[in-house]
Amino acid sequence: MPPFDLPESDPFSPHNLPYGVFSAPGATDRTVGVRLGDHVLDAGAAALALGSPYASLLARPCLNPLLAAGRTTWSDVRRALTAWVTVPAHQSTVAEFLHPLSSVTLHLPFEVADYVDFYSSEHHARNVGRIFRPDAADSLTPNWKHLPIGYHGRSGTVVVSGTDVVRPSGQRKAPTDPAPVFGPSVRLDIEAEVGFVVGTPSPMGSPVALADFRDHVFGLCLLNDWSARDIQAWEYVPLGPFLGKSFATSVSAWVTPLDALEEARVAPPERTHELLPYLDDTGADAEPGGYDLRISVAVNGHVVSEPPFSSMYWTAAQQLAHLTVNGASLRTGDLYGSGTVSGPAERERGSLLELTWNGRDALELPDGKRTFLEDGDVVTLSAWAPGPDGVRVGLGEVAGRIVGQALG
Amino acid sequence: MPPFDLPESDPFSPHNLPYGVFSAPGATDRTVGVRLGDHVLDAGAAALALGSPYASLLARPCLNPLLAAGRTTWSDVRRALTAWVTVPAHQSTVAEFLHPLSSVTLHLPFEVADYVDFYSSEHHARNVGRIFRPDAADSLTPNWKHLPIGYHGRSGTVVVSGTDVVRPSGQRKAPTDPAPVFGPSVRLDIEAEVGFVVGTPSPMGSPVALADFRDHVFGLCLLNDWSARDIQAWEYVPLGPFLGKSFATSVSAWVTPLDALEEARVAPPERTHELLPYLDDTGADAEPGGYDLRISVAVNGHVVSEPPFSSMYWTAAQQLAHLTVNGASLRTGDLYGSGTVSGPAERERGSLLELTWNGRDALELPDGKRTFLEDGDVVTLSAWAPGPDGVRVGLGEVAGRIVGQALG
């Protein structure tokens, strides 16, 4: 199939055009690519060949210059790219810069500045509360409905889809153990999330209002917040998760611009508590805030869950407003995760912790039972969003294989 | 006083030679400087004038290239610098590259990769436990003596000494309030800490052993982990501090290389619990691990506390071993804070939370009583360490003024 003759049903049609960073076959240099069907357009080379003013943003080894260029430029570049792959006169010029996806190497698409992870699915938070505090009157902590709870993670261990994840070692201690023991995690889990990528920075002391979300956030990716539940359980009181999370966080190779997701915007769930003004998205003028993204979680190719992103209680706009309300600045490349996406149904849960109810109910996979992850397991998150005229906008996938520790 | 004729008692003698980044009078370019008495040597210009091979590390706008060069080079560069400022033939060459400290602008000395903050003073942790959990059988959480508790903070809001700190706004809720309220923090505090600066990176999946600490850590700085206690109290369960800390973290303009602190190395306090092997520093071959740094905390020039760093339970080597034991990688520019330094005595506490016992006992300052910080207050942390032959090695200072929010 010639790259430009995509069927309307292709999730990487010209309605999508997500950005990534790749090396061409035999090359070591990295450059910005745009996905079209099962090809990658070398966007920098195309821009240079066409004499585009955006070559300085696209012929670069990471997305950060484009991210920093701001919302007007994001739209202009997207319009240009759309023309290059849809107008026959341009197609003939850029055709030579298309590479089969299977022939290229995909890299981490942007340099991560700060990484923050939220905890914004009510279904997830209630499941976790029921599992770990079964006797509590409320499965949510008192603050949960008043602010999107979040914390900082490790930017330096954010890796691109396809990177192996070495099973982490650490301390764990069951309540009945007399002292902690050390060894490879025996409760290694996933968290199916969506990551939001900040483009336009903001200065210290200047909170970003809800309405300014799309001026700052360029797009989104899929994110797997690998979690060692045994390490986390022993370490996290009182200052939160640390080594149970910091060994690896995987993101998809493609960043989908928010401009490709116009048709996927939806209202979030009804708010059950009055919100402080900086978080209040219930007004008639408020942006809908939510996104209808259909996520799929597969272990070794077998789908175990389909978490609906539209069920998230706190939106990405609220998360950004909260993150900055104390005056914290934003930098180009800041990444924040939605928190585990879990819907109301059992088959919509975004972690093995929930899917197996803390290991009580093993999942039946074609290759055997699973509570937590075993060495060699490959976890793949994929997703799509509704696009114009019933087409799908593909968000790609984030995959990773668990690797046992080398002996000695 | 000519710059090279320093009295033996000068805390910035050639025994010290800390590194910073500055702009010369009238210039906007940044370059690496080395402090000598109350002067700054333009180390890059000096290296170029002398034909030094280290010009490529020193004629740079931040310390990161030097940090990345590794321990052998750190020693070589230090030896060269020592010669430039002590050997008369070199002195005459480099004299023109000395600027009075008062004439230059000091900048953040390195680009911060990940920022982690620990909680490693037993006295501080016990004070916090007694304040917030007065009825608990043990003022420490069960994990405290088994691992150095830590969490990730926000790298993007690490600022250099002298930067104003805007009082953060956020949600707070007293236990008796029916709902949270929003506004400027009314319990703004400091945390007197020491920051450790990573030079040599490490790959994912490769823990850094205790004994390899000095291969990876280049030096240390002073650090003030500003904390909004009211914001923190409402947000931090269950995932730890977030907006109560992320608005600003101040560091000193000078990074003191560990090579300047040989005489300050001391054994840490006796270990009361058996340690897992990766944290065990009790063997005969173990490095002493602790540093004898004498910190001073002043509010508006009035000293309110003198926390002794030698009293820290967990050492910087243990913190690094723990931080990486799960396979997390290190990057050049990673920064980790010791946690609030508090000694056993009342006048050795490193936070206002402890000094005022959560606001119960106001401090008497020349300009009035203080529980937490008021707008206009200037907090200055300074420190020195014992050097050879009784000289002092100055660690400089980290200062910041609290600024009220501009009226909208």
Side-chain angles (χ1 to χ4, degrees), chain A residues 152-171:
Chain A
H152 283 86
R154 191 162 186 81
S155 315
T157 51
V158 176
V159 297
V160 72
S161 177
T163 306
D164 285 345
V165 173
V166 177
R167 181 181 294 273
S169 282
Q171 295 193 23

Side-chain angles (χ1 to χ4, degrees), chain A residues 114 146 154 156 171 243 326, chain B residues 114 146 156 171 243 246 326 334:
Chain A
D114 272 300
H146 295 283
R154 191 162 186 81
Q171 295 193 23
L243 300 189
N326 68 344
Chain B
D114 272 300
H146 295 282
Q171 295 193 23
L243 300 189
S246 66
N326 67 345
D334 280 349

Side-chain angles (χ1 to χ4, degrees), chain B residues 14-37:
Chain B
H15 296 297
N16 189 346
L17 302 181
Y19 295 89
V21 168
F22 76 102
S23 297
T28 56
D29 286 359
R30 301 176 180 209
T31 194
V32 172
V34 172
R35 183 161 174 182
L36 187 70

Side-chain angles (χ1 to χ4, degrees), chain A residues 1 15-16 35 68 79 87-88 92 100 125 142 156 167 171 195 212 258-259 296 325 331 338 389 401:
Chain A
M1 174 96 52
H15 296 297
N16 189 345
R35 182 162 174 182
R79 202 173 302 116
V87 177
S92 60
R167 181 181 294 273
Q171 295 193 23
D212 296 334
L258 294 186
D259 282 344
S296 177
V325 76
R331 291 183 292 174
S338 59
D389 304 322
R401 179 190 305 271

Side-chain angles (χ1 to χ4, degrees), chain A residues 114 116 118-119 141-143 146-147 149-157 159 168-169 171 180 182 204 234-243 246-248 276 278-279 322-323 325-326 328-331 334, chain B residues 114 116 118-119 141-143 146-147 149-157 159 168-169 171 180 182 204 234-243 246-248 276 278-279 322-323 325-326 328-331 334:
Chain A
D114 272 300
V116 164
F118 284 95
Y119 184 58
T141 53
N143 52 8
H146 295 283
L147 53 81
I149 294 172
Y151 67 101
H152 283 86
R154 191 162 186 81
S155 315
T157 51
V159 297
S169 282
Q171 295 193 23
F182 181 86
M204 273 179 85
W234 170 234
E235 74 178 357
Y236 90 106
V237 174
L239 299 184
F242 185 35
L243 300 189
S246 65
F247 55 97
L276 285 163
Y278 79 96
L279 292 173
H322 187 62
L323 172 56
V325 76
N326 68 344
S329 50
L330 296 176
R331 291 183 292 174
D334 280 348
Chain B
D114 272 300
V116 164
F118 285 95
Y119 184 60
T141 52
N143 52 8
H146 295 282
L147 53 80
I149 293 172
Y151 66 101
H152 283 86
R154 191 163 186 81
S155 314
T157 50
V159 296
S169 281
Q171 295 193 23
F182 182 85
M204 274 179 85
W234 170 234
E235 74 178 358
Y236 90 106
V237 173
L239 299 184
F242 184 35
L243 300 189
S246 66
F247 56 96
L276 285 163
Y278 79 96
L279 292 173
H322 187 62
L323 172 57
V325 76
N326 67 345
S329 50
L330 296 175
R331 291 183 293 174
D334 280 349

